[in-house]
Amino acid sequence: MIFNLNINQKATYLHAVVTGKNNKENVTQYLNEILRECSARNCFRVLIEERLEGPRLKTIDVYTVASQGAHQAFGKMKAIAYVDVNAEGQLMKFAETVAVNRSLPARVFTTVADAEKWLLEKDKNK
């Protein structure tokens, strides 16, 4: 594992910023750590800001990570806003579709500001 995870508590959600090397193992591990932090802090709304460097994951790896992550977070998470600052193409939208099809309340954004706006709007509409 070669990544760093910083989590900041906001009023109604956690803001997780992950940096380091982009690979399937790191993505899987940081998602597990975020889920543990959400449980420990009793805060099930999160903005994930991914800043991993290196080649993007292959489609099958994105599918596997999104599918497994959705299974682990099922029934726990209330909202997940996801920003991959190094995303290319439509792969993150594919990950969103996989997660949403498994009943995970997740949405992908291109900017942190848009992700925060969505989280705050979802908070108002509880």
Side-chain angles (χ1 to χ4, degrees):
M1 294 180 298
I2 305 172
F3 68 91
N4 185 39
L5 180 62
N6 291 309
I7 298 180
N8 298 307
Q9 179 81 48
K10 302 290 186 168
T12 60
Y13 65 93
L14 299 180
H15 183 169
V17 180
V18 62
T19 57
K21 184 178 177 185
N22 190 45
N23 60 45
K24 181 181 172 186
E25 293 76 22
N26 282 348
V27 174
T28 299
Q29 185 61 36
Y30 87 66
L31 289 172
N32 288 335
E33 287 187 27
I34 290 172
L35 186 57
R36 280 193 298 274
E37 278 296 316
C38 287
S39 293
R41 298 178 189 216
N42 198 31
C43 183
F44 298 97
R45 300 161 40 76
V46 65
L47 189 163
I48 301 170
E49 183 179 344
E50 183 183 291
R51 297 182 163 276
L52 298 178
E53 300 289 332
R56 303 291 87 194
L57 299 182
K58 297 182 186 319
T59 303
I60 189 65
D61 292 332
V62 170
Y63 173 83
T64 302
V65 169
S67 185
Q68 288 174 348
H71 176 73
Q72 291 175 321
F74 182 76
K76 298 173 187 164
M77 299 305 296
K78 294 182 181 175
I80 301 170
Y82 198 95
V83 178
D84 181 348
V85 300
N86 296 315
E88 299 171 354
Q90 295 298 310
L91 206 49
M92 293 313 301
K93 280 295 184 186
F94 172 68
E96 176 184 299
T97 300
V98 171
V100 168
N101 284 346
R102 284 152 183 78
S103 300
L104 194 65
R107 186 149 174 217
V108 172
F109 297 89
T110 55
T111 68
V112 170
D114 288 343
E116 288 175 325
K117 181 179 176 184
W118 179 76
L119 281 171
L120 294 172
E121 286 174 1
K122 283 194 71 72
D123 190 44
K124 289 180 193 174
N125 299 325
K126 288 194 233 185

